[in-house]
Amino acid sequence: MIRILLLVMLVTGQAAHAHKSSDSYLQLHAQDDSLRGRWDIALRDLDYALGLDRNGDGRLTWGEVRAAAETIKAYALAHLALAANDTACPLQAGDLLIDQHSDGRYAVVPLSARCPKPVHSLSLDYSLFFDLDRQHRGLLTLQSGDAQQTAIFSPEVRQQHWNGISGEPAAGAWTRLQDFAREGVWHIWIGYDHLLFLLSLLLPAALIRESEGWQPKTGFKTTLGEVVAVVSAFTLAHSLTLSLAVLQIVSLPSRWVEAAIAASVLLAALNNIVPCVTHRKYWVAFGFGLIHGLGIASVLLDMQLSPQNIVWALFSFNLGVELGQLAVVAAVLPLIGYFSRYRYYPAVAMHAGSAAIAGLALIWLAERSLDINLISG
């Protein structure tokens, strides 16, 4: 029992102090012997690495970014090496710009390179932030004519090579599918708000509300049935809106979406303390799952994938999200089933655990709706 409470506290504690998911977006266009493109790097990540916030007020101004423009460009170029036809092809950085992504403002570093010969093969060595953040990912789209390649850089995969830039990369389509599936798993595992929403729905799964309070259910089959219903409804809903968002059929302001996700975590946790919905929670999971799908879509949206790449990227990424989610449920469900037999489970896990989740969700809601930093880095 104490273990499950400690687990909740551990998760909420990590979520409280971890900064947002760190991704950069690298776009390159190859034509003859030249490459051009842009590199979008989150200002919050650059601030963490370079200390851009000179006055320490928690807000980056254009003046602070502009004053550090040369430092930012030098730092970026020091962590990206390009070779064409096995010959180094130095990158040049243009004037620094600012762009707004779904999760905040990004510095945009325009890139260009002139290679000695027409580019037939290409190698990239990416190491941005890997010494500071093992969770960082570099998401690449490489365009050559009508062909678009994609790749994901991580601390484990720092180098990518293309034998023919208009053909298949050396890694192959299967590897790219695995890359996006792995990113889906990773995205849900570091998506603490998605996990805490699901955990809030699962905490009472092994209990039934009666006149004298929460009582353990008889038989694991009943508990399993409710969990399957809740997880299936959540999966169906967020898969639906994830697809609609990535295909750009549905679009909502990211700030509203993120605030709504925080509100869903808060309401789900409060419902465990002051029960309002005790039956058919799969409808709650489905309704709020629609909002969570819009939040999960942000990674693929910011990659600006071509129509021919977006379908398999969406499929493999969503598959990874579901596998990651199922792994979490498989780990948590036996603990809930076991500890729910103890009489102090409702008071400790349900009430204290849910109160911790609600407190964190309330802070997220304030941060995301008011655009302020209270605990997030």
Side-chain angles (χ1 to χ4, degrees):
M1 182 62 187
I2 298 300
R3 293 176 184 175
I4 197 168
L5 178 60
L6 289 175
L7 176 64
V8 172
M9 294 175 67
L10 176 64
V11 171
T12 55
Q14 288 181 337
H17 294 289
H19 61 81
K20 295 178 181 177
S21 174
S22 171
D23 297 314
S24 82
Y25 301 91
L26 179 60
Q27 299 176 40
L28 290 176
H29 299 257
Q31 184 175 13
D32 298 327
D33 61 347
S34 65
L35 290 109
R36 57 181 175 79
R38 56 184 282 175
W39 195 0
D40 293 26
I41 307 171
L43 283 176
R44 63 175 182 275
D45 294 335
L46 288 169
D47 182 35
Y48 182 74
L50 300 174
L52 304 182
D53 185 13
R54 297 292 182 85
N55 59 12
D57 65 352
R59 292 182 178 273
L60 282 178
T61 64
W62 169 237
E64 289 171 323
V65 175
R66 184 173 54 187
E70 295 304 317
T71 302
I72 292 172
K73 291 190 291 185
Y75 182 79
L77 293 180
H79 293 85
L80 181 67
L82 185 151
N85 311 322
D86 298 324
T87 301
C89 197
L91 285 162
Q92 304 293 325
D95 292 338
L96 194 72
L97 304 171
I98 301 292
D99 197 4
Q100 185 73 30
H101 280 238
S102 58
D103 60 344
R105 291 186 301 162
Y106 280 60
V108 179
V109 182
L111 297 173
S112 63
R114 179 74 69 178
C115 304
K117 296 179 180 179
V119 179
H120 297 297
S121 65
L122 189 67
S123 297
L124 281 175
D125 191 331
Y126 181 107
S127 59
L128 185 69
F129 298 138
F130 290 157
D131 57 332
L132 302 173
D133 184 359
R134 301 287 296 178
Q135 297 183 3
H136 176 75
R137 298 292 185 269
L139 309 178
L140 167 74
T141 55
L142 172 62
Q143 194 81 33
S144 178
D146 294 331
Q148 185 186 69
Q149 311 289 342
T150 60
I152 298 174
F153 295 94
S154 68
E156 294 75 28
V157 183
R158 297 171 180 239
Q159 296 179 328
Q160 298 275 355
H161 178 77
W162 290 263
N163 286 322
I165 59 172
S166 60
E168 289 293 311
W174 171 244
T175 300
R176 284 184 293 153
L177 189 147
Q178 288 179 301
D179 287 344
F180 275 95
R182 192 181 300 113
E183 283 309 301
V185 172
W186 184 250
H187 190 76
I188 201 70
W189 282 359
I190 63 173
Y192 299 114
D193 43 9
H194 307 302
L195 290 180
L196 290 181
F197 172 75
L198 193 58
L199 180 62
S200 298
L201 294 180
L202 295 182
L203 279 176
L207 302 176
I208 186 169
R209 183 74 177 174
E210 296 181 344
S211 57
E212 60 271 25
W214 292 103
Q215 300 297 323
K217 288 179 179 176
T218 56
F220 186 69
K221 186 180 294 185
T222 308
T223 300
L224 182 61
E226 179 168 337
V227 169
V228 169
V230 166
V231 173
S232 298
F234 185 60
T235 298
L236 177 63
H238 72 62
S239 297
L240 176 63
T241 46
L242 167 63
S243 302
L244 293 175
V246 172
L247 296 173
Q248 300 187 2
I249 298 173
V250 172
S251 177
L252 291 176
S254 61
R255 188 171 162 187
W256 294 7
V257 171
E258 294 301 322
I261 290 173
S264 73
V265 179
L266 176 62
L267 293 174
L270 289 178
N271 190 59
N272 293 339
I273 302 171
V274 185
C276 296
V277 180
T278 57
H279 297 86
R280 298 180 178 178
K281 289 186 178 178
Y282 47 82
W283 284 115
V284 176
F286 184 85
F288 285 126
L290 295 172
I291 299 296
H292 283 248
L294 296 175
I296 295 171
S298 61
V299 173
L300 295 182
L301 279 174
D302 288 337
M303 283 192 74
Q304 300 185 5
L305 296 167
S306 63
Q308 58 266 36
N309 277 331
I310 204 165
V311 174
W312 64 263
L314 174 61
F315 169 78
S316 52
F317 183 81
N318 195 34
L319 178 64
V321 168
E322 308 317 331
L323 291 175
Q325 180 178 282
L326 286 176
V328 171
V329 172
V332 170
L333 183 57
L335 295 174
I336 292 175
Y338 177 80
F339 288 111
S340 63
R341 298 177 300 173
Y342 294 91
R343 59 181 173 81
Y344 41 79
Y345 177 87
V348 179
M350 284 277 290
H351 290 171
S354 297
I357 295 173
L360 182 58
L362 186 60
I363 294 172
W364 282 338
L365 180 59
E367 286 188 334
R368 297 173 183 183
S369 58
L370 301 177
D371 194 22
I372 57 176
N373 288 320
L374 297 176
I375 57 172
S376 300

